Every structure is written in C-alpha cells, then in structure tokens.
Amino acid sequence: MRIMVTGGAGFIGANFLNLLVPRHEEHHFINADKLTYAANLSSLAGIADAPNYTFAQLDIADASAVEEAFEEHAPDCVVHFAAESHVDRSIEGPRAFIESNIIGTFNLLESARKRWGKDNGLFHHVSTDEVYGSLGDTGMFVEDTRYDPSSPYSASKAASDHLVRAHHRTFGLPVKITNCSNNYGPLQFPEKLIPVMTLNAAEGKPLPVYGEGLNVRDWLYVTDHCEAIWKVVTEGKVGETYNIGGNNEVRNIDVVKIICKLVAEYQGKDASELESLITYVKDRPGHDMRYAIDASKIERDLGWSPAETFETGFRKTVHWYLDNTEWIDQVRSGEYRNWIEKNYTNRG
Ligand code: NAD
Ligand code: DAU
C-alpha cells in the first residue's frame, strides 16, 4: 500500500511512523505535514532515510495543494492525524482549528473520492473522545454516545468526524474512525499537561494546575494508540467507529503528584519539595470535567489491548523528557516562549 500519513511530524503521527516504517517495508509511507509549531522533523531522524518513507510538506487547508499531493504520491490509504490539537490554543484563536481540522479534512476527503471513486481506497480518520463532551461521576463514552463538544477544538473535530461519515454514507468512500482518550509519551509538544509538568518540576518552576485539579482524564501510552490505529486500518470494518482508551482514569492533581514523585526520584530529591511548586491557576473556560472511554468494542472485535500500564508508561515518559534535553531545547525555541507567556501570564 501507499499510505499517506497526514500530520506525521507531530506527536502521535511521528510515534506512528517510527513504529511502522521499519516494521512494514512492504508499504510506502508518505508523511504529509504542514510543519506548524507542533511539528518536529527531528522526531523522525531514525526513519528519514528509509527507502519506504517520503516527507512532503503540505497544508491540507489548501485544496489545490492537496489535489497535487494526491496526483504526485498516489496514495491508496490515508491515515489522517493532521490537526490543530491544543484546546487552550483553540480558545485563544479558533480560526486555525476551523481551517485545518474542518476544511483540511474536507479537502482530503474530496481528493480521496475523486481519486478512488466508490468502494476503493481507505480513509482512516484519527479523532478524539472530546467530541462526546463531558461526563459526570459515572458512565463511559461508547461509540454511539451523542456528540456534545465543548471547545472550538472539539467542535472542529466533531465537524470533521461528521464529514468523514457523510462521505461514506453519501459517496461510498471507505472510511474508518477512531476516537481516543488522552495520549502521553515521548515527542509531545511541551504545551500539554504531562510535558509541561515534567519540565517545570525538573526546573523548579511553578506547576500550573487549572481550577481545583479535580478534572479526570483517561491516559493511554502513545504507542498503544498507534498499534490500535494500525489494527483498525488493517483489520477493522469499513464504515465503523472504534473507541480507544487506556482504562486509566486519573484526576489532574494526582497526575501532577505522580510526576513530582518520579522527577524527585530521578533527581534524588524529596517529592514534597516539588509538590510545593503546585500552583492553582484560573480554570480553562468550558473545561470538561471527566472523560472515560469504554474500549470493549476494539478489544472484543479486533483483540487490541494496551501493552503499557499507567505505572510503566508514566515512568518511561517522565524519564524520556528528562533524558532528551536536545529535543526539548529545540522545540522550546521562539514560538514556544510566546505561547507560555500568553497562556500562563496573569492566569492566576
Ligand atoms: P500535534 O499537535 O502534536 O501534531 C499535529 C501535526 O499536524 C503537526 O505535525 C502539524 O504540523 C500538523 N498539521 C497541523 N495543521 C496542518 C495542516 N493544515 N496541514 C498539514 N499538517 C498540519 O497533535 P497530536 O497530539 O499528534 O494529535 C494528532 C491527531 O490525533 C489529531 O487529529 C488529534 O485530534 C488526535 N488525537 C490526539 C490525542 C492526544 O491526546 N494528543 C488524543 C486523541 C486524538
Ligand atoms: O482527550 C483527548 C484529547 O486530549 C486530545 O483530543 C487533545 O488533542 C489533547 O490535547 C488532549 O486534550 P486535553 O485538553 O485533555 O489535554 P491537556 O494536556 O491540554 O490537558 C489535560 C488536563 O490538564 C486538562 O484537564 C487541562 C489540565 N491542564 C493542562 C495544562 C496544559 C492543567 O491543569 N494545567 C496545564 O498547564
């Protein structure tokens, strides 16, 4: 297969390519990425020269550029990761989320159906549990939970999911959708909770917890997500949606305390010293309280289950950020500083 992986220079896309390019020499992988602030080609250094890998810079919001990329690279499968992905940025400036996540997905779908016609090719759409909105103390998201997005980010992902399903029902485009919970692991841009807290704890900076820190997220190690996507691409049923989750529900404040413990252990310090850096700051507007995924469909139908536990995955992740200072220094240049200033200054 010729597989176009959009957003392959971002966090999950790069982990996906690093895992699959060496393993599947029979497939050719085309990484189509705009290279926004969230992308980093150095994350792909290990596969950059692989004979079954090509990088192509592409803005999916540009319809004619997408058409040309389909002509040039002739994919028969698209695994669509590319998106603006950070909720706080979608509150600060939603337009890019509409352009990349909605228009960008639409452009890819249109080029795919033009090239493949009916019942040919495969469009795999990588989506999020945030489309389902917020849970109370009980219950879990299943595949037919009603959509109820809260942020411009999740609304844009919900719109893109609807377009993908519409292209299947109306035009017969073969599609599959996965909705996954919070990923953690190496190569995540340090604007998200786990890398922000790990790096701040290591540097003795304040640990900015939104609201009271009682919001709950379900955490999944990134390569477990990538393996699940590959299972669905290769064995899932066309037209189906699969929820992916880690069954690891943790309150944000407890995540931060675990990070303090792991960083303290690494640095030979006392965890209470790092916990004293916890600072409660102004809450995120429209902040979803709790996410929990029921992943029994993918477990039952495709035999997927996560390989990492919360304990093994978190330790590996925290150590990765503390060991890979070169990667960190590189991504924390220019744009990163602007964001940190904008998001956290005067938040309290
Ligand atoms: P990320 O922000 O780390 O990376 C996104 C990548 O997409 C970047 O390389 C960026 O350059 C690229 N991109 C953005 N706009 C583009 C455009 N217009 N054209 C081409 N490329 C563009 O994101 P991530 O965390 O790796 O998330 C990847 C996908 O997985 C997203 O669709 C996201 O909604 C979904 N998802 C993420 C999580 C999570 O916890 N991170 C969980 C579930 C689903
Ligand atoms: O659930 C899947 C989603 O997970 C993905 O679709 C998104 O792309 C991804 O960014 C992630 O969204 P979240 O908003 O859940 O992730 P984030 O890391 O931004 O925040 C996790 C929780 O931690 C959330 O409740 C907000 C809180 N938080 C976050 C940051 C950055 C803080 O308390 N302080 C912070 O500094």
Side-chain angles (χ1 to χ4, degrees), residues 40-91:
N40 192 342
L41 284 177
S42 77
S43 300
L44 297 152
I47 56 161
D49 297 325
N52 61 331
Y53 171 78
T54 305
F55 174 73
Q57 191 163 8
L58 172 69
D59 179 356
I60 58 168
D62 179 341
S64 50
V66 173
E67 278 289 316
E68 281 164 28
F70 267 71
E71 283 294 312
E72 185 180 345
H73 299 288
D76 26 43
C77 173
V78 171
V79 183
H80 178 34
F81 290 97
E84 288 293 335
S85 70
H86 194 35
V87 174
D88 293 318
R89 284 183 193 257
S90 81
I91 296 165

Short mmCIF file of all heavy atoms in Angstrom, two decimals, residues 40-91:
data_model
loop_
_atom_site.label_atom_id
_atom_site.label_comp_id
_atom_site.label_asym_id
_atom_site.label_seq_id
_atom_site.Cartn_x
_atom_site.Cartn_y
_atom_site.Cartn_z
N ASN A 40 7.94 18.51 14.35
CA ASN A 40 9.39 18.50 14.55
C ASN A 40 9.97 17.36 13.73
O ASN A 40 9.80 16.18 14.08
CB ASN A 40 9.69 18.32 16.04
CG ASN A 40 11.15 18.60 16.33
OD1 ASN A 40 11.98 18.61 15.43
ND2 ASN A 40 11.44 18.82 17.59
N LEU A 41 10.68 17.70 12.65
CA LEU A 41 11.22 16.64 11.80
C LEU A 41 12.32 15.85 12.50
O LEU A 41 12.56 14.69 12.14
CB LEU A 41 11.73 17.22 10.47
CG LEU A 41 10.63 17.59 9.46
CD1 LEU A 41 11.23 18.23 8.21
CD2 LEU A 41 9.80 16.36 9.07
N SER A 42 12.95 16.44 13.51
CA SER A 42 14.00 15.68 14.21
C SER A 42 13.40 14.49 14.99
O SER A 42 14.11 13.55 15.33
CB SER A 42 14.82 16.59 15.13
OG SER A 42 14.09 16.86 16.30
N SER A 43 12.09 14.53 15.22
CA SER A 43 11.43 13.38 15.86
C SER A 43 11.48 12.15 14.95
O SER A 43 11.22 11.03 15.40
CB SER A 43 9.96 13.70 16.16
OG SER A 43 9.86 14.81 17.01
N LEU A 44 11.76 12.38 13.65
CA LEU A 44 11.73 11.29 12.66
C LEU A 44 13.11 10.94 12.15
O LEU A 44 13.25 10.28 11.12
CB LEU A 44 10.83 11.72 11.49
CG LEU A 44 9.36 11.95 11.88
CD1 LEU A 44 8.70 12.97 10.97
CD2 LEU A 44 8.60 10.64 11.86
N ALA A 45 14.16 11.38 12.88
CA ALA A 45 15.54 11.20 12.40
C ALA A 45 15.85 9.73 12.10
O ALA A 45 16.55 9.42 11.13
CB ALA A 45 16.52 11.75 13.43
N GLY A 46 15.30 8.83 12.88
CA GLY A 46 15.60 7.39 12.73
C GLY A 46 15.06 6.78 11.45
O GLY A 46 15.52 5.72 11.02
N ILE A 47 14.06 7.41 10.81
CA ILE A 47 13.48 6.82 9.60
C ILE A 47 13.63 7.72 8.37
O ILE A 47 13.21 7.35 7.27
CB ILE A 47 11.97 6.50 9.78
CG1 ILE A 47 11.19 7.77 10.19
CG2 ILE A 47 11.76 5.37 10.78
CD1 ILE A 47 9.71 7.66 9.95
N ALA A 48 14.23 8.90 8.55
CA ALA A 48 14.28 9.89 7.46
C ALA A 48 14.86 9.32 6.17
O ALA A 48 14.42 9.69 5.07
CB ALA A 48 15.08 11.11 7.91
N ASP A 49 15.82 8.40 6.27
CA ASP A 49 16.44 7.85 5.06
C ASP A 49 15.91 6.48 4.68
O ASP A 49 16.47 5.83 3.79
CB ASP A 49 17.97 7.76 5.27
CG ASP A 49 18.57 9.15 5.48
OD1 ASP A 49 18.06 10.11 4.85
OD2 ASP A 49 19.52 9.28 6.29
N ALA A 50 14.86 6.04 5.32
CA ALA A 50 14.32 4.71 4.99
C ALA A 50 13.78 4.71 3.56
O ALA A 50 13.15 5.69 3.13
CB ALA A 50 13.21 4.34 5.97
N PRO A 51 14.01 3.63 2.78
CA PRO A 51 13.56 3.60 1.39
C PRO A 51 12.03 3.62 1.24
O PRO A 51 11.51 4.01 0.20
CB PRO A 51 14.13 2.28 0.84
CG PRO A 51 14.56 1.50 2.02
CD PRO A 51 14.78 2.45 3.15
N ASN A 52 11.31 3.22 2.29
CA ASN A 52 9.84 3.21 2.20
C ASN A 52 9.20 4.41 2.91
O ASN A 52 8.06 4.34 3.36
CB ASN A 52 9.27 1.90 2.79
CG ASN A 52 9.61 1.71 4.27
OD1 ASN A 52 10.63 2.19 4.74
ND2 ASN A 52 8.75 1.01 4.99
N TYR A 53 9.98 5.53 3.00
CA TYR A 53 9.46 6.73 3.67
C TYR A 53 9.76 7.96 2.82
O TYR A 53 10.88 8.12 2.31
CB TYR A 53 10.12 6.89 5.04
CG TYR A 53 9.83 8.21 5.72
CD1 TYR A 53 8.61 8.43 6.34
CD2 TYR A 53 10.78 9.25 5.72
CE1 TYR A 53 8.34 9.65 6.95
CE2 TYR A 53 10.51 10.46 6.34
CZ TYR A 53 9.28 10.66 6.96
OH TYR A 53 9.00 11.86 7.55
N THR A 54 8.75 8.84 2.65
CA THR A 54 8.94 10.12 1.94
C THR A 54 8.30 11.22 2.77
O THR A 54 7.20 11.03 3.31
CB THR A 54 8.20 10.08 0.58
OG1 THR A 54 8.64 8.96 -0.16
CG2 THR A 54 8.42 11.36 -0.22
N PHE A 55 8.97 12.37 2.86
CA PHE A 55 8.34 13.54 3.50
C PHE A 55 7.86 14.51 2.43
O PHE A 55 8.58 14.78 1.46
CB PHE A 55 9.31 14.26 4.45
CG PHE A 55 8.70 15.53 4.97
CD1 PHE A 55 7.68 15.47 5.92
CD2 PHE A 55 9.08 16.77 4.47
CE1 PHE A 55 7.06 16.63 6.38
CE2 PHE A 55 8.46 17.94 4.92
CZ PHE A 55 7.45 17.87 5.88
N ALA A 56 6.65 15.04 2.58
CA ALA A 56 6.12 16.04 1.64
C ALA A 56 5.46 17.15 2.45
O ALA A 56 4.48 16.89 3.16
CB ALA A 56 5.11 15.39 0.72
N GLN A 57 5.98 18.36 2.34
CA GLN A 57 5.34 19.46 3.09
C GLN A 57 4.01 19.80 2.43
O GLN A 57 3.95 20.02 1.21
CB GLN A 57 6.26 20.68 3.13
CG GLN A 57 5.73 21.72 4.12
CD GLN A 57 6.77 22.75 4.52
OE1 GLN A 57 7.87 22.79 3.96
NE2 GLN A 57 6.42 23.57 5.49
N LEU A 58 2.94 19.82 3.22
CA LEU A 58 1.60 20.04 2.66
C LEU A 58 0.70 20.71 3.69
O LEU A 58 0.62 20.26 4.84
CB LEU A 58 0.98 18.67 2.28
CG LEU A 58 -0.49 18.69 1.84
CD1 LEU A 58 -0.65 19.39 0.48
CD2 LEU A 58 -1.06 17.28 1.75
N ASP A 59 0.00 21.77 3.24
CA ASP A 59 -1.03 22.38 4.08
C ASP A 59 -2.37 21.81 3.61
O ASP A 59 -2.83 22.14 2.50
CB ASP A 59 -0.99 23.91 3.92
CG ASP A 59 -2.07 24.60 4.76
OD1 ASP A 59 -2.88 23.89 5.40
OD2 ASP A 59 -2.09 25.84 4.77
N ILE A 60 -3.00 20.99 4.43
CA ILE A 60 -4.24 20.34 3.98
C ILE A 60 -5.39 21.33 3.82
O ILE A 60 -6.41 21.01 3.21
CB ILE A 60 -4.66 19.18 4.92
CG1 ILE A 60 -4.86 19.66 6.36
CG2 ILE A 60 -3.68 18.03 4.82
CD1 ILE A 60 -5.55 18.64 7.26
N ALA A 61 -5.24 22.56 4.36
CA ALA A 61 -6.29 23.57 4.17
C ALA A 61 -6.26 24.16 2.75
O ALA A 61 -7.18 24.88 2.37
CB ALA A 61 -6.12 24.68 5.20
N ASP A 62 -5.22 23.83 1.98
CA ASP A 62 -5.07 24.34 0.61
C ASP A 62 -5.54 23.24 -0.35
O ASP A 62 -4.82 22.27 -0.63
CB ASP A 62 -3.58 24.69 0.41
CG ASP A 62 -3.27 25.20 -0.98
OD1 ASP A 62 -4.09 24.98 -1.91
OD2 ASP A 62 -2.21 25.81 -1.15
N ALA A 63 -6.76 23.42 -0.90
CA ALA A 63 -7.39 22.36 -1.70
C ALA A 63 -6.55 21.96 -2.92
O ALA A 63 -6.40 20.77 -3.21
CB ALA A 63 -8.78 22.80 -2.15
N SER A 64 -5.98 22.96 -3.61
CA SER A 64 -5.24 22.58 -4.82
C SER A 64 -3.92 21.88 -4.46
O SER A 64 -3.49 20.97 -5.17
CB SER A 64 -5.04 23.76 -5.77
OG SER A 64 -4.52 24.84 -5.05
N ALA A 65 -3.32 22.27 -3.33
CA ALA A 65 -2.10 21.58 -2.90
C ALA A 65 -2.41 20.12 -2.53
O ALA A 65 -1.62 19.21 -2.81
CB ALA A 65 -1.47 22.31 -1.70
N VAL A 66 -3.59 19.89 -1.95
CA VAL A 66 -3.98 18.51 -1.59
C VAL A 66 -4.19 17.70 -2.86
O VAL A 66 -3.72 16.55 -2.99
CB VAL A 66 -5.25 18.52 -0.70
CG1 VAL A 66 -5.77 17.10 -0.47
CG2 VAL A 66 -4.95 19.18 0.65
N GLU A 67 -4.87 18.30 -3.85
CA GLU A 67 -5.07 17.64 -5.16
C GLU A 67 -3.74 17.22 -5.76
O GLU A 67 -3.57 16.08 -6.20
CB GLU A 67 -5.72 18.63 -6.14
CG GLU A 67 -7.21 18.75 -6.01
CD GLU A 67 -7.92 17.51 -6.52
OE1 GLU A 67 -7.56 16.98 -7.58
OE2 GLU A 67 -8.81 17.07 -5.80
N GLU A 68 -2.79 18.17 -5.76
CA GLU A 68 -1.46 17.89 -6.34
C GLU A 68 -0.75 16.77 -5.59
O GLU A 68 -0.11 15.92 -6.19
CB GLU A 68 -0.59 19.16 -6.33
CG GLU A 68 -0.93 20.12 -7.45
CD GLU A 68 -0.36 21.51 -7.21
OE1 GLU A 68 0.69 21.63 -6.54
OE2 GLU A 68 -0.99 22.49 -7.67
N ALA A 69 -0.88 16.79 -4.26
CA ALA A 69 -0.21 15.75 -3.46
C ALA A 69 -0.80 14.37 -3.77
O ALA A 69 -0.08 13.37 -3.84
CB ALA A 69 -0.35 16.07 -1.97
N PHE A 70 -2.11 14.32 -3.99
CA PHE A 70 -2.73 13.03 -4.36
C PHE A 70 -2.22 12.57 -5.73
O PHE A 70 -1.97 11.39 -5.94
CB PHE A 70 -4.26 13.14 -4.34
CG PHE A 70 -4.86 12.73 -3.03
CD1 PHE A 70 -4.70 13.54 -1.90
CD2 PHE A 70 -5.56 11.54 -2.89
CE1 PHE A 70 -5.24 13.17 -0.67
CE2 PHE A 70 -6.10 11.16 -1.66
CZ PHE A 70 -5.95 11.97 -0.55
N GLU A 71 -2.10 13.53 -6.67
CA GLU A 71 -1.57 13.20 -8.00
C GLU A 71 -0.16 12.66 -7.88
O GLU A 71 0.18 11.62 -8.44
CB GLU A 71 -1.51 14.48 -8.87
CG GLU A 71 -2.84 14.92 -9.44
CD GLU A 71 -3.36 13.90 -10.44
OE1 GLU A 71 -2.58 13.49 -11.32
OE2 GLU A 71 -4.54 13.50 -10.30
N GLU A 72 0.67 13.41 -7.15
CA GLU A 72 2.10 13.07 -7.09
C GLU A 72 2.37 11.78 -6.32
O GLU A 72 3.17 10.95 -6.75
CB GLU A 72 2.87 14.23 -6.42
CG GLU A 72 4.37 13.99 -6.43
CD GLU A 72 5.14 15.14 -5.77
OE1 GLU A 72 4.57 16.23 -5.56
OE2 GLU A 72 6.33 14.89 -5.46
N HIS A 73 1.68 11.58 -5.22
CA HIS A 73 2.04 10.46 -4.34
C HIS A 73 1.12 9.25 -4.48
O HIS A 73 1.41 8.19 -3.93
CB HIS A 73 2.11 10.92 -2.89
CG HIS A 73 3.14 11.99 -2.66
ND1 HIS A 73 4.49 11.72 -2.69
CD2 HIS A 73 3.03 13.33 -2.47
CE1 HIS A 73 5.16 12.84 -2.49
NE2 HIS A 73 4.29 13.83 -2.36
N ALA A 74 0.02 9.42 -5.19
CA ALA A 74 -0.90 8.32 -5.49
C ALA A 74 -1.18 7.39 -4.30
O ALA A 74 -0.97 6.18 -4.39
CB ALA A 74 -0.34 7.51 -6.68
N PRO A 75 -1.65 7.95 -3.19
CA PRO A 75 -1.90 7.07 -2.04
C PRO A 75 -3.12 6.18 -2.27
O PRO A 75 -4.06 6.59 -2.97
CB PRO A 75 -2.20 8.08 -0.91
CG PRO A 75 -2.77 9.26 -1.60
CD PRO A 75 -2.07 9.35 -2.93
N ASP A 76 -3.10 4.95 -1.72
CA ASP A 76 -4.36 4.20 -1.71
C ASP A 76 -4.91 4.06 -0.29
O ASP A 76 -5.92 3.40 -0.07
CB ASP A 76 -4.27 2.83 -2.41
CG ASP A 76 -2.89 2.25 -2.42
OD1 ASP A 76 -2.21 2.30 -1.35
OD2 ASP A 76 -2.47 1.76 -3.47
N CYS A 77 -4.24 4.74 0.64
CA CYS A 77 -4.75 4.80 2.02
C CYS A 77 -4.30 6.13 2.62
O CYS A 77 -3.17 6.57 2.36
CB CYS A 77 -4.16 3.64 2.82
SG CYS A 77 -4.52 3.68 4.58
N VAL A 78 -5.19 6.78 3.38
CA VAL A 78 -4.80 7.98 4.14
C VAL A 78 -5.03 7.68 5.61
O VAL A 78 -6.11 7.19 5.98
CB VAL A 78 -5.65 9.21 3.72
CG1 VAL A 78 -5.40 10.38 4.67
CG2 VAL A 78 -5.35 9.62 2.29
N VAL A 79 -4.01 7.92 6.43
CA VAL A 79 -4.21 7.87 7.89
C VAL A 79 -4.09 9.32 8.35
O VAL A 79 -3.00 9.92 8.29
CB VAL A 79 -3.20 6.95 8.60
CG1 VAL A 79 -3.50 6.89 10.09
CG2 VAL A 79 -3.24 5.55 8.00
N HIS A 80 -5.21 9.89 8.76
CA HIS A 80 -5.32 11.35 8.91
C HIS A 80 -5.17 11.79 10.37
O HIS A 80 -6.12 11.78 11.16
CB HIS A 80 -6.68 11.77 8.36
CG HIS A 80 -6.96 13.23 8.47
ND1 HIS A 80 -5.98 14.20 8.37
CD2 HIS A 80 -8.13 13.91 8.68
CE1 HIS A 80 -6.54 15.39 8.53
NE2 HIS A 80 -7.83 15.24 8.72
N PHE A 81 -3.93 12.22 10.70
CA PHE A 81 -3.63 12.76 12.03
C PHE A 81 -3.66 14.29 12.04
O PHE A 81 -3.86 14.89 13.09
CB PHE A 81 -2.21 12.36 12.47
CG PHE A 81 -2.00 10.91 12.79
CD1 PHE A 81 -1.47 10.04 11.83
CD2 PHE A 81 -2.30 10.41 14.05
CE1 PHE A 81 -1.25 8.71 12.13
CE2 PHE A 81 -2.07 9.08 14.36
CZ PHE A 81 -1.55 8.22 13.39
N ALA A 82 -3.34 14.92 10.89
CA ALA A 82 -3.07 16.36 10.88
C ALA A 82 -4.21 17.16 11.49
O ALA A 82 -5.36 17.02 11.08
CB ALA A 82 -2.81 16.83 9.45
N ALA A 83 -3.89 17.99 12.45
CA ALA A 83 -4.90 18.85 13.08
C ALA A 83 -4.21 19.84 13.98
O ALA A 83 -3.09 19.61 14.44
CB ALA A 83 -5.87 18.01 13.92
N GLU A 84 -4.89 20.95 14.24
CA GLU A 84 -4.55 21.78 15.38
C GLU A 84 -5.12 21.02 16.58
O GLU A 84 -6.29 20.64 16.58
CB GLU A 84 -5.18 23.16 15.27
CG GLU A 84 -4.55 24.05 14.21
CD GLU A 84 -3.12 24.46 14.56
OE1 GLU A 84 -2.78 24.48 15.76
OE2 GLU A 84 -2.36 24.77 13.63
N SER A 85 -4.29 20.77 17.62
CA SER A 85 -4.70 19.79 18.63
C SER A 85 -4.82 20.33 20.06
O SER A 85 -5.23 19.59 20.95
CB SER A 85 -3.70 18.64 18.64
OG SER A 85 -2.45 19.08 19.17
N HIS A 86 -4.45 21.61 20.29
CA HIS A 86 -4.42 22.05 21.69
C HIS A 86 -5.64 22.89 22.07
O HIS A 86 -5.86 23.97 21.52
CB HIS A 86 -3.13 22.82 21.95
CG HIS A 86 -2.84 23.02 23.41
ND1 HIS A 86 -3.14 22.08 24.37
CD2 HIS A 86 -2.27 24.06 24.08
CE1 HIS A 86 -2.78 22.53 25.57
NE2 HIS A 86 -2.26 23.72 25.42
N VAL A 87 -6.40 22.40 23.05
CA VAL A 87 -7.66 23.04 23.47
C VAL A 87 -7.44 24.50 23.86
O VAL A 87 -8.19 25.40 23.44
CB VAL A 87 -8.29 22.25 24.64
CG1 VAL A 87 -9.51 22.98 25.19
CG2 VAL A 87 -8.66 20.83 24.20
N ASP A 88 -6.41 24.79 24.66
CA ASP A 88 -6.19 26.18 25.11
C ASP A 88 -5.93 27.12 23.93
O ASP A 88 -6.38 28.26 23.93
CB ASP A 88 -5.01 26.24 26.09
CG ASP A 88 -5.30 25.52 27.40
OD1 ASP A 88 -6.43 25.66 27.90
OD2 ASP A 88 -4.42 24.79 27.88
N ARG A 89 -5.20 26.64 22.93
CA ARG A 89 -4.97 27.48 21.75
C ARG A 89 -6.27 27.71 20.98
O ARG A 89 -6.45 28.75 20.36
CB ARG A 89 -3.94 26.83 20.82
CG ARG A 89 -2.51 26.94 21.31
CD ARG A 89 -1.57 26.33 20.27
NE ARG A 89 -0.25 26.15 20.83
CZ ARG A 89 0.81 26.95 20.58
NH1 ARG A 89 0.69 27.97 19.78
NH2 ARG A 89 1.97 26.71 21.14
N SER A 90 -7.19 26.73 21.02
CA SER A 90 -8.45 26.90 20.29
C SER A 90 -9.32 27.95 20.96
O SER A 90 -10.21 28.53 20.33
CB SER A 90 -9.19 25.57 20.16
OG SER A 90 -9.92 25.23 21.31
N ILE A 91 -9.06 28.21 22.24
CA ILE A 91 -9.81 29.25 22.96
C ILE A 91 -9.19 30.61 22.63
O ILE A 91 -9.89 31.60 22.40
CB ILE A 91 -9.78 28.95 24.49
CG1 ILE A 91 -10.50 27.62 24.76
CG2 ILE A 91 -10.38 30.10 25.29
CD1 ILE A 91 -10.26 27.02 26.12
#
